[in-house]
Amino acid sequence: MRALQGVPLRVLLLAGSAFILLCVLGTSALLAVRAGQDEADELFDARLATSARVLESLMARQVEHATINTPLVMSLPVPLELEAGERDRQLGSPQQLSWSAVLQDWLFGHHDIETPLGHEYETHIAYQIWTDYETFGSDGFRLLARSSSAPAIPMAPMRAGFSDHDLAGSLWRVFVLHSGDVWIQVGERVDAREELSAKLGWATGAPLLIGLFVLLLLNGLLIGYGLAPLSEMAERIAGRSPRDDQPLTLSRVPAEIAPVLSALNALFGRVRDALARERRFIDAAAHELRTPLAALRIHAQNARRAEDPARLNKSLDSLLEGVARTVHLTEQMLAHSRAGRGAQDIPLSLREVVRDAVAQRHLSCEASGHALALQADEEPLTVIGDANSLSSMVGNLIDNAQRYAPAGTAIRLELGRDGDQARLVVSDAGPGIPEDLRERVFEPYFRIPGSAGSGSGLGLAIVREVVEYLGGQIALGEAEGGGLRVELRLPLAPA
């Protein structure tokens, strides 16, 4: 199959069609020619036998009792014999014929002459009437009558039936009929049969060959017409600028190409959305980083102008706090950029990922006055994903609850199996999210107006990116007793 790589589809289809047609039509033509030859031979043999029986009925019985000293010779008209002899000499010397006559003779055999006196083909047929020696008392057979095209010697042994013999440099098919004391021999030149077989063969095969070339021509035009949309698609794609992300249109869209065009336009749409998302991310990142960086600059300037150690330490503390917030924001930006990329998707135990995330944030929650509780089944709940992305997903849910829930309240995590999905629920006792804003909070850098938290607005965006990449669903609701309830459903890996 490697030999076919790079071969144009049009050439492949046309060559394949030609090969199939040649095999099928060529075999049919050969079989037809062979069948025509067999039928011609049978027809000629039957005619020879019939001619012998006609001679036997009309002439042989009268000639047998005739008192003649020399055999009767049935002559053809002299002009017909001369014309036939001249034609045979020309065929024996092809240089005397025109190129068209040579080509015609090679393909179809020469055209026999037809005149008011008869047909040239008569010179290719001969007959003899013999009587055996007992009738005349001699030691052999005696020729009673013959055609002028027959020799004076027997054309074949006196044995009834068909046989082939070389007479005067030509091959003859001879039929011998024995009737009483009379032997009748009727012969026909084999080249006449071959000529008829060639004519029958070409009459059968030539239309097939001509039809084959016409069929290939029409098939080529049809294939070209059918593949024209592909060529048009390739030309339009090659001529597009990198900034052109609009749907591709064609002048004609066959049903087979419609899915390809639809998928290609869908890809353009996804690329367009991805580029728009990247542009929004970059714009928002620059906006979000500008504020903390400006604050860091102010704190650094205050520290530089501080005249006493107390003001200096206060400025340095504010500077370090701003650096920590900026580092956290940068880490969140990086996590959001990498979310859903699946750099190393492997089977992972979601139970262990959740337990590790809870363990890492246990001390931080205790310091902020939050009780972090996990209720999980013993089943590992294996999912296919990236360890860092899953850990960031669970960690952001806990951090989000810790940031907005009042001190002294609990953050509860529930992990279990629901059919072929893993179900993770994180609940807190914070202010919750109004129902009309539950879709917008997944937008990067969006924060609820008037919110007391100091988050970056990327936590839930990161969570949704990871969940959607894993093929799961995320839903926001109200927890029992008030607060936010986040429910995740992730598909489990096949057992």
Side-chain angles (χ1 to χ4, degrees):
M1 289 300 179
R2 291 185 176 180
L4 299 178
Q5 291 183 358
V7 177
L9 184 58
R10 181 178 305 178
V11 175
L12 183 62
L13 291 176
L14 192 58
S17 300
F19 177 76
I20 293 173
L21 290 173
L22 282 175
C23 291
V24 175
L25 297 182
T27 303
S28 301
L30 289 177
L31 293 176
V33 170
R34 182 61 182 272
Q37 290 175 340
D38 292 341
E39 291 298 326
D41 289 339
E42 293 175 2
L43 178 62
F44 284 139
D45 287 346
R47 187 177 63 177
L48 285 179
T50 301
S51 300
R53 299 189 193 283
V54 171
L55 287 173
E56 191 270 338
S57 299
L58 298 179
M59 296 182 59
R61 299 187 188 278
Q62 287 74 18
V63 173
E64 178 183 3
H65 301 288
T67 56
I68 56 176
N69 294 323
T70 60
L72 298 176
V73 179
M74 310 302 178
S75 299
L76 295 174
V78 175
L80 186 62
E81 289 187 336
L82 292 176
E83 188 69 30
E86 180 64 22
R87 176 59 63 89
D88 287 340
R89 283 191 296 273
Q90 290 179 356
L91 294 176
S93 302
Q95 61 272 14
Q96 299 180 6
L97 299 174
S98 64
W99 67 269
S100 59
V102 173
L103 179 62
Q104 175 181 321
D105 181 68
W106 180 73
L107 291 176
F108 307 106
H110 69 277
H111 181 68
D112 296 328
I113 299 174
E114 184 178 324
T115 69
L117 299 176
H119 199 283
E120 179 188 349
Y121 193 79
E122 294 181 68
T123 62
H124 299 163
I125 301 175
Y127 66 87
Q128 298 172 333
I129 302 176
W130 297 81
T131 185
D132 56 26
Y133 66 92
E134 294 180 355
T135 305
F136 293 90
S138 60
D139 56 354
F141 295 92
R142 182 176 181 180
L143 179 62
L144 300 180
R146 69 178 177 87
S147 64
S148 60
S149 56
I153 60 174
M155 292 188 293
M158 298 303 176
R159 185 173 59 249
F162 292 95
S163 57
D164 295 324
H165 300 280
D166 190 354
L167 302 175
S170 299
L171 186 63
W172 288 70
R173 179 74 168 173
V174 182
F175 176 72
V176 179
L177 175 66
H178 187 202
S179 177
D181 295 331
V182 176
W183 296 84
I184 300 174
Q185 295 188 350
V186 182
E188 183 178 32
R189 272 172 49 176
V190 173
D191 58 350
R193 294 187 171 202
E194 292 176 348
E195 177 186 343
L196 180 59
S197 297
K199 289 180 178 179
L200 289 175
W202 281 106
T204 304
L208 292 177
L209 292 177
I210 296 174
L212 172 62
F213 288 113
V214 173
L215 186 60
L216 289 178
L217 176 61
L218 296 178
N219 197 22
L221 295 176
L222 181 61
I223 290 175
Y225 177 77
L227 297 180
L230 287 178
S231 301
E232 182 184 1
M233 181 184 297
E235 292 176 359
R236 295 198 177 186
I237 292 176
R240 279 193 159 216
S241 66
R243 297 180 180 274
D244 188 1
D245 55 8
Q246 296 303 311
L248 186 66
T249 58
L250 300 178
S251 57
R252 180 172 58 88
V253 184
E256 293 77 8
I257 300 180
V260 179
L261 183 62
S262 178
L264 186 61
N265 285 332
L267 176 61
F268 286 153
R270 291 194 296 271
V271 171
R272 180 172 59 252
D273 294 341
L275 292 176
R277 173 178 173 273
E278 294 297 328
R279 286 192 293 268
R280 290 195 302 270
F281 179 81
I282 293 173
D283 293 343
H287 176 75
E288 292 294 326
L289 284 174
R290 182 175 59 184
T291 300
L293 289 176
L296 290 177
R297 181 179 180 181
I298 294 174
H299 293 315
Q301 291 174 346
N302 290 337
R304 185 175 184 180
R305 291 194 297 265
E307 297 179 355
D308 59 86
R311 292 186 60 184
L312 176 61
N313 291 333
K314 182 178 180 181
S315 297
L316 291 176
D317 290 340
S318 299
L319 180 62
L320 292 175
E321 184 179 351
V323 169
R325 287 196 300 269
T326 305
V327 170
H328 176 72
L329 176 60
T330 305
E331 290 176 348
Q332 288 289 82
M333 290 179 178
L334 184 60
H336 180 264
S337 177
R338 293 177 176 177
R341 292 187 182 180
Q344 191 176 4
D345 288 346
I346 57 175
L348 296 170
S349 170
L350 184 60
R351 182 189 63 186
E352 297 303 322
V353 172
V354 173
R355 285 183 174 179
D356 289 344
V358 170
Q360 292 175 8
R361 288 160 176 78
H362 188 73
L363 293 178
S364 175
C365 286
E366 283 188 350
S368 62
H370 296 91
L372 187 58
L374 171 62
Q375 179 182 349
D377 296 341
E378 292 302 321
E379 189 177 356
L381 300 175
T382 304
V383 297
I384 304 296
D386 176 66
N388 292 329
S389 296
L390 284 170
S391 179
S392 176
M393 176 190 73
V394 179
N396 273 284
L397 289 175
I398 298 175
D399 292 343
N400 191 68
Q402 181 183 2
R403 185 174 299 110
Y404 294 101
T409 59
I411 301 174
R412 297 180 299 276
L413 285 81
E414 301 176 14
L415 179 63
R417 182 189 184 101
D418 186 4
D420 58 352
Q421 293 181 324
R423 176 174 172 271
L424 174 63
V425 179
V426 179
S427 304
D428 62 58
I433 299 177
E435 188 173 353
D436 58 338
L437 296 178
R438 287 177 184 173
E439 184 60 32
R440 293 203 59 191
V441 292
F442 293 115
E443 298 177 5
Y445 308 110
F446 177 81
R447 286 189 290 269
I448 298 176
S451 175
S454 59
S456 62
L458 289 173
L460 289 178
I462 294 172
V463 172
R464 187 169 71 169
E465 288 282 346
V466 177
V467 170
E468 289 183 349
Y469 174 78
L470 296 176
Q473 302 89 33
I474 181 172
L476 303 181
E478 186 175 347
E480 295 182 5
L484 180 64
R485 180 179 184 273
V486 182
E487 180 178 345
L488 307 183
R489 291 181 178 271
L490 303 177
L492 295 173

